[in-house]
Amino acid sequence: MNEGDSSSSRSFLQVLLAVLGTLTVVLVVPFLQAVLLGGLMAYLVAPVNDRLSRRLGATAGAAATMLATTVVVLAPLLFVLAVAVDQAVALARGAELPDVAALESFLSERFGTSVPGAEMLVEPLGNAVEAGLRGLVGSVGGILGGVSTVLVGAVIFLFAFFVLLRDGDRFVAWIRAVTPLDAATTDELFARTDDLLWAAVVGNVVVAGLQAILTVVGFAVVGFDNVVFWGVATFLLSLLPVIGASIVWIPAVGYLLFVGNVPAAVGLFLYGSFVISGSDNVVRPMAMRRGARLNSGVLVLSIFGGVAVFGFLGIFVGPVVFGLTKTVIELLAEERADPRGS
């Protein structure tokens, strides 16, 4: 094949790759959440899968790892989520709207005077609360109505999980073979990707899980009901930067003050400040010791941007994308500074 034919063939292959690559992306996007979740789970349990695969073989090891993960992790997690949803629905349906007479009595006791205009405040507030609660129950009903979509996503998740467990090493080897980079640069990219995944997934989940457990303990001690719901809410909110667990326990302190339980409010405030929120300063540096650090402003942008693009999993995917972008820029800068290494 002469040079002209080779150039034409290469150009055609590049155009074909662009077309087929675009079609592949279009096909995968509707199930991207399930595929990403399968990849994250495979990454988390990879050490267990490696040990089992050495003893049982690749296929049997992957199957055993997936079964163990389902029994030990996924099934209890789904049970907790089901209880949290049930408690959320019960909380929404059982919530009582503010009573005008009770509010006027409360304000009179606190401020020593009657507030005849309280009804004007309570009526729109009550309507807003009622609309919000109905919206919450309606959202739960909509989620339950999409069972078929959930089942399809679950099948794709399990398939991606199993395939990546069984063939993950071959997939990584294929990426190394087709990547037009030298071995040292490829190793650096894989190492930093591992650090970013560790920080984004393991570090954040450990911190959020600890704060959720501490919140449940504190709420149970002061006598709150529906602690599973509050624990799940704390866990999800603790994954987000800036917001954290304080958005759950601070309103609880305000509620305790509102109902006149001052000792419990003071106790929960101290416990929340020094134990729940304080645990972040102690545990996060330990959990993220392996992780590649991002500027706090970049981290906030990467997480919220990731959520906007990838949904809930963007909490983990966003920082990895930003971190890899930073890594590629640094590698390019190193190559430009030392052109002999290219």
Side-chain angles (χ1 to χ4, degrees):
M1 182 181 296
N2 58 42
E3 185 176 346
D5 291 338
S6 177
S7 177
S8 299
S9 176
R10 183 175 182 81
S11 298
F12 177 77
L13 286 175
Q14 289 174 339
V15 172
L16 185 61
L17 176 61
V19 173
L20 294 177
T22 302
L23 290 175
T24 301
V25 171
V26 172
L27 293 173
V28 172
V29 162
F31 310 105
L32 185 61
Q33 292 267 355
V35 174
L36 289 175
L37 183 57
L40 288 175
M41 288 300 301
Y43 169 78
L44 291 174
V45 300
V48 176
N49 182 66
D50 291 341
R51 292 184 179 182
L52 291 176
S53 296
R54 284 195 294 267
R55 297 181 179 181
L56 305 175
T59 301
T65 302
M66 189 168 69
L67 179 62
T69 304
T70 301
V71 173
V72 176
V73 179
L74 297 181
L77 180 61
L78 290 175
F79 175 75
V80 170
L81 289 177
V83 173
V85 170
D86 183 66
Q87 291 185 357
V89 173
L91 188 65
R93 289 176 175 170
E96 297 181 359
L97 298 179
D99 180 72
V100 175
L103 180 60
E104 288 184 348
S105 175
F106 172 80
L107 294 176
S108 297
E109 292 176 1
R110 290 295 186 273
F111 301 105
T113 181
S114 61
V115 185
E119 185 172 359
M120 298 176 61
L121 173 65
V122 172
E123 183 174 356
L125 177 62
N127 293 335
V129 171
E130 183 178 6
L133 295 178
R134 287 177 178 173
L136 176 60
V137 175
S139 298
V140 173
I143 293 173
L144 297 178
V147 172
S148 60
T149 303
V150 172
L151 288 177
V152 173
V155 171
I156 294 175
F157 158 71
L158 292 174
F159 180 77
F161 185 28
F162 175 77
V163 169
L164 289 173
L165 284 175
R166 187 188 64 182
D167 302 325
D169 290 340
R170 285 192 288 179
F171 180 62
V172 171
W174 177 79
I175 292 178
R176 288 179 178 274
V178 300
T179 301
L181 296 172
D182 60 87
T185 302
T186 304
D187 291 340
E188 180 70 13
L189 280 174
F190 274 103
R192 296 204 186 184
T193 301
D194 185 39
D195 288 342
L196 288 164
L197 281 171
W198 179 272
V201 181
V202 179
N204 283 333
V205 167
V206 167
V207 174
L210 176 62
Q211 291 190 325
I213 293 172
L214 292 174
T215 300
V216 167
V217 171
F219 277 28
V221 170
V222 298
F224 280 115
D225 297 324
N226 304 311
V227 292
V228 175
F229 166 74
W230 295 118
V232 172
T234 302
F235 175 79
L236 296 176
L237 292 171
S238 296
L239 292 172
L240 300 174
V242 181
I243 298 177
S246 59
I247 201 172
V248 175
W249 64 261
I250 287 179
V253 171
Y255 170 78
L256 292 172
L257 288 174
F258 183 82
V259 299
N261 194 346
V262 177
V266 173
L268 184 59
F269 176 78
L270 295 174
Y271 177 78
S273 299
F274 294 101
V275 178
I276 300 177
S277 296
S279 65
D280 184 276
N281 299 325
V282 177
V283 178
R284 189 176 296 274
M286 297 171 58
M288 293 191 171
R289 188 171 298 169
R290 275 186 52 193
R293 291 179 176 82
L294 291 175
N295 176 273
S296 57
V298 174
L299 180 63
V300 171
L301 179 60
S302 67
I303 289 178
F304 285 107
V307 170
V309 175
F310 298 103
F312 173 74
L313 290 179
I315 293 174
F316 311 117
V317 176
V320 174
V321 172
F322 270 65
L324 284 178
T325 302
K326 177 174 177 286
T327 297
V328 171
I329 293 173
E330 291 172 348
L331 290 173
L332 288 173
E334 291 175 6
E335 184 176 313
R336 184 178 59 182
D338 185 17
R340 291 174 299 176
S342 59

